[in-house]
Amino acid sequence: MIRLLSGVTRLLGFGMVALGLYLGLNWELKLTKGDWVHWPSIALIGLILIGLVLISHQLSKLYGLMLTLIQESPSGLEKQLRAVQPRLRELGELFYRSGASALARELNFKSIPAAWGPLVLQLEAQVPFEDVRMLLQQEAREKDDRLGDLIHMVASLTSLAPSVGMVGTVLGLVKLLGDLQDLSALGPNMALALLSTFYGLVAGVVMLSPIVSRLESLRNLQTRGYEQALFWLHLIENRKPLLYVDPRESSA
C-alpha cells in the first residue's frame, strides 16, 4: 500500500511538472501597462516546485511543514520559555515538598514548553531520573531531526526556485525566437522570459527564505526548552541547591 501511494505521489509530481511546462509554453496572456501578474509564469514556477516536492516523496514533510507554520511560532515559544524560567526555583521547591503530582496540578501544559509535559508525567509515574533524562533527550533529538528535515526541504526549494525561473526564461526565449514574425506574440513571450526569473527570485528570496529563518528559530527555541527542562531535572536528581537557578536569566 505504501509503495502504491509512493508511486501515485511520484506520478502526480511528474504530472504537475509537465502541467507547469505546458502552461508556460501554451498559455498566451498579454500584459497591460503596469501589470506584474503573469499567470503563466506563476503557474510554471509554482507547479514545478510542488511537483519536485512530490517526486522526492516529501508529501508528508510538506504536510508537516504546513502544520508547523500554522501551529507554532517563535514568539510563542519564546514567551513560554520566559514564563517558566523565573519559576524554576519555585517548581523545584514544590517538587521537594509535595512531589510530582503537585507539579502536574500546578502547571498549565498548554502555556509551557513541550518538554515539561512528558517530564512531569514521567516523574509523576515514578520513572527513574536516568530514564526520564534518556527519554527527554531522545524526544529532543527526534524533534530536532524533524525540524532539520523541514529546514533542508525548504532550503532546497529556496535554491531551486531561481533555477526554475531560468527554465521559464529559456522557454520564453525559445518561443520568442520561434515567433519573431508574429509581433502580437512578442509581448507574451518576453513576459514569460523575464517575469519567470523575477518570480523565481521572489519565491526563493521573499517567500521561502523567511520560512527557513522561522524554522531555524523554532528549532533553536525548541532546543532551549529541552535544555531548560533537562537542567532543572539535573538539579532535582542530584538534590543540588536551587540557588543555581537564577530568575534573572529570563530577561537575558
Side-chain angles (χ1 to χ4, degrees), residues 183-194:
L183 296 180
S184 63
L186 181 62
N189 292 336
M190 283 296 295
L192 177 64
L194 297 178

Side-chain angles (χ1 to χ4, degrees), residues 57-85:
H57 304 292
Q58 299 189 78
L59 182 60
S60 60
K61 292 182 182 179
L62 186 61
Y63 177 72
L65 173 64
M66 294 174 60
L67 286 182
T68 300
L69 295 177
I70 293 172
Q71 296 177 354
E72 301 180 29
S73 69
S75 60
L77 290 181
E78 181 73 27
K79 184 178 179 180
Q80 291 176 354
L81 286 169
R82 290 179 178 275
V84 173
Q85 183 66 37

